Amino acid sequence: MSHLPNTLNSYWLWREVREKLQVSNPVYKYWKDTPSIKLNNKYVFVQKNSLPKKYEHVEPILTDLSGYLPIKYASDQLHINEHVFSYEKMRLYKEFEYKYVQDIKFVNIRKFFIEYGIRVDKDSLLHLGRIKDLEITANSTFYNLKDDYGLVVYH
């Protein structure tokens, strides 16, 4: 399985942690033993099981984001317009599963990859789009999706 759908397996959404704990926004920066990542220079996530002992009690009530990605980050990684994940009238919209956490919409990329048998190496590039707009090369793998859409993995 690709690293992409597993990006958030070990992380909590900082915005949710902050709200549940009622702490200030930048406090995670001072927690030396709590690694964090930032996606799209917008979404901050803190590593699971690394919160200071004082705050560990909140972890059981946080939302598990394993397999999910924020729609903006997912659209950037798949090189497709974010509208595919935003509007029910888009042809591929119903092919994905969604959840909201703190008013941020997440898309289940893992489920999509499993359903279509998509395998991606760590350094591969992805392009999801209409088949007529995709460039299929000798060192790529093409996946035919629904309604004249496809996904190309460039190795």
Side-chain angles (χ1 to χ4, degrees), residues 39-71:
L39 301 180
N40 279 63
N41 213 16
K42 184 176 183 178
Y43 310 107
V44 177
F45 298 88
V46 292
Q47 192 169 39
K48 291 179 179 179
N49 303 315
S50 69
L51 296 178
K53 290 226 181 279
K54 176 180 176 180
Y55 301 117
E56 286 177 343
H57 67 279
V58 78
E59 290 201 28
I61 60 172
L62 296 173
T63 306
D64 183 23
L65 295 172
S66 298
Y68 284 83
L69 294 173
I71 63 169

Side-chain angles (χ1 to χ4, degrees), residues 76-134:
D76 288 350
Q77 295 300 306
L78 295 172
H79 296 90
I80 192 165
N81 193 306
E82 186 178 343
H83 289 79
V84 168
F85 304 125
S86 301
Y87 300 107
E88 289 185 36
K89 292 183 180 180
M90 298 301 288
R91 290 185 183 171
L92 286 180
Y93 181 87
K94 292 182 179 172
E95 298 301 309
F96 296 94
E97 180 181 289
Y98 305 93
K99 78 165 67 170
Y100 283 89
V101 180
Q102 297 294 309
D103 295 331
I104 299 172
K105 188 174 186 178
F106 289 84
V107 59
N108 190 338
I109 295 295
R110 177 187 293 147
K111 182 178 177 185
F112 177 76
F113 275 34
I114 289 171
E115 285 177 1
Y116 285 99
I118 298 169
R119 301 193 63 71
V120 183
D121 297 329
K122 185 172 183 167
D123 296 327
S124 296
L125 293 175
L126 304 166
H127 186 188
L128 173 65
R130 292 186 181 272
I131 293 173
K132 65 181 178 124
D133 299 331
L134 298 174

